[in-house]
Amino acid sequence: MEELPSSEAREDRNSINGDYSSPIYELCCKVCDGVFTDPVTTPCGHNFCKSCLTNCWEERHHCHCPLCKERFTRRPELRINTTLREVADDFKKKNGLEKTEILCDACTGEKFKALKSCLDCGLSFCETHLEPHTHVLRLKKHKLINPVENLEDYICQKHNKLLELFCKEDQICVCQFCTETDHKNHNTVSIEEECRERKTQLVKTQTDLLQMIQDRFKKIQEIKHSVEQTKRSTEKEKADSVEVFTALIHSIERSQAELLEVMEEKQKAAETQAEGFIKELEQEISVLKRRNTKLEQLSQTEEHLHLLQIYSTTCSPIHTKNWTEISINTDESGDTVRTALSQLQQTLNEKFTKTLDDKLKERVSTELKRIQQYAVDVTLDSDTAYPKLMLSADGKQVSLGNKQQKLPNTPRRFKKCPNVLGKQSFSSGRIYYEVQVRGKMAWTLGVARQNVDIKGKIMLNPQNGFWTVGLWNENQYKACADPPVPLTLREKVEVVGVFVDFKEGLVSFYDVKSSSHIYSFTGQTFTENLYPYFSPGLNEGNKNSAPLIISPIFYN
């Protein structure tokens, strides 16, 4: 007969359902583990299927709660909890758990609902016809289960015996006689044991499925968050671009007004000059006309003495301006306009570049303030340091010495390159730290994967587990990608900020002093822990002896 599962079984059930506070669990009978069928309530307040509770009490010959074990001096009258039954039936209907009603095989007239099916009898019985199985000694040994339609599926078709064992080799249910014939020497276990094992596997599968579901819900949230971040960033960039181009338009309008004013002034000056020239020319024309009139009169006179007397004064050259080289300088005006336009273009370029630089600097400065909140405390790991490297006592500075130190050859010590890793490793979230590189001609900084090859020749690139940038030959900056990316920086870097975002697959480098962005590795996948990576570079005849210094971070 069925009874309340043991504490171990209840723990198994709890692992399946996940939480006893779950609403689904509250709709389950604590005897059969199924959703209630005709639920009844004990005086102590616990609920069970009516048939399950009845069978428990009839088997033990005394009445107690199968859950809390409270004993009742007299057998309580059981009445179906109609409200709970409606809720349970509705749950079964919505979740496809409704089963076809099994009727009693022993009823001859009106057939009543079967309470149990007997695997030994091969029949299903209602409460009345099941009664002999509760007190007849031979029948009490029969195997009773919840009523089912296909009782033949529980009987071995070859030996007409109860299927109570499971053959692991052939993966089928067998009877006791099968183990002595076709399944002799096979590994067989009880059906109950196999079911427990299968349930354990189901629990694991369910757990894996739930985890997959949770992972996908999490990924949905990440995608939504990423889209929201992109939207905010886009809106900020749009606002910045509108501001930049609005300022540029205002500058163009002002410069245009200034240019038009210059052109107007040049036009007025030309007109004034022309008016002066015309006035002078008109005056000379008047003088020349008067002289011409006198000459005409003189040429017609009959007074010879008079002609000779005034000839020298009348015919002497008139002092007038040489107008051959004189003109209104339109070319100069054109040159002025072209010069003004050239100056305007240069001014606009300078203003645009400055405005854009100011905006970028403002944005990077804001970004730096945001990511500095993820600052972590980084110290150098002496067990990884190349033997010629000199580390400070506090583990915050490193420089390259001239002599190789006698150090133990630890598994993680760099053997051929002047490198050292940080003690701290990181595997999630965001991290940020700053390193002073002031006074150096060469250096390399970044992060390295946990299991990089540190004993041989190192090729710095993401494929080999390194995400770094560096300086070579005093002024050659590069990002160590594959192939390397040359970097053009406006100022010599003095403090480098290193930022890592595991979820976004991002490694970014910043010039902290000028609040400018140096380079970013994007779209990366980090499958191992990351360690801060440092290389002070070669000494170059003591010209590069300044140390790399892990700087304290100060931010508002």
Side-chain angles (χ1 to χ4, degrees), residues 313-367:
T313 56
T314 304
C315 294
S316 62
I318 299 176
H319 296 290
T320 57
K321 184 180 292 187
N322 183 5
W323 293 94
T324 306
E325 302 298 330
I326 294 176
S327 64
I328 302 299
N329 195 351
T330 55
D331 290 338
E332 179 183 350
S333 177
D335 290 341
T336 301
V337 172
R338 284 190 291 272
T339 301
L341 287 173
S342 177
Q343 291 175 347
L344 173 60
Q345 184 177 5
Q346 182 178 354
T347 300
L348 292 178
N349 288 337
E350 290 174 354
K351 287 183 178 181
F352 180 76
T353 302
K354 184 177 184 305
T355 303
L356 196 57
D357 286 347
D358 289 344
K359 287 296 177 184
L360 288 174
K361 186 173 182 179
E362 180 184 346
R363 288 186 61 189
V364 174
S365 179
T366 302
E367 180 71 8

Side-chain angles (χ1 to χ4, degrees), residues 45-61:
H46 295 122
N47 299 302
F48 306 92
C49 294
K50 183 178 180 181
S51 60
C52 294
L53 187 59
T54 301
N55 290 339
C56 284
W57 285 352
E58 289 176 351
E59 182 173 303
R60 290 174 176 77
H61 304 295

Side-chain angles (χ1 to χ4, degrees), residues 182-221:
D182 296 344
H183 299 271
K184 189 175 182 179
N185 298 325
H186 286 191
N187 180 16
T188 58
V189 296
S190 68
I191 287 179
E192 289 77 6
E193 181 180 342
E194 182 65 21
C195 285
R196 283 195 296 271
E197 185 177 333
R198 293 292 177 93
K199 283 186 177 181
T200 301
Q201 294 173 355
L202 288 174
V203 170
K204 184 179 182 304
T205 303
Q206 184 184 23
T207 302
D208 293 342
L209 288 173
L210 289 174
Q211 185 61 50
M212 291 172 66
I213 292 170
Q214 291 176 0
D215 290 344
R216 279 150 182 76
F217 274 122
K218 184 178 179 182
K219 179 55 78 174
I220 288 173
Q221 295 304 315

Side-chain angles (χ1 to χ4, degrees), residues 22 122 124 141-142 146 161 171 205 209 216 227 268 285 342 360 418-419 520 523 535 537 540 545:
S22 167
S124 298
K141 295 179 181 179
H142 286 191
N146 288 330
K161 294 294 181 181
Q171 293 289 299
T205 303
L209 288 173
R216 279 150 182 76
V227 170
K268 289 180 180 178
I285 289 171
S342 177
L360 288 174
N419 306 328
S520 285
S535 176
E540 306 291 345
S545 58

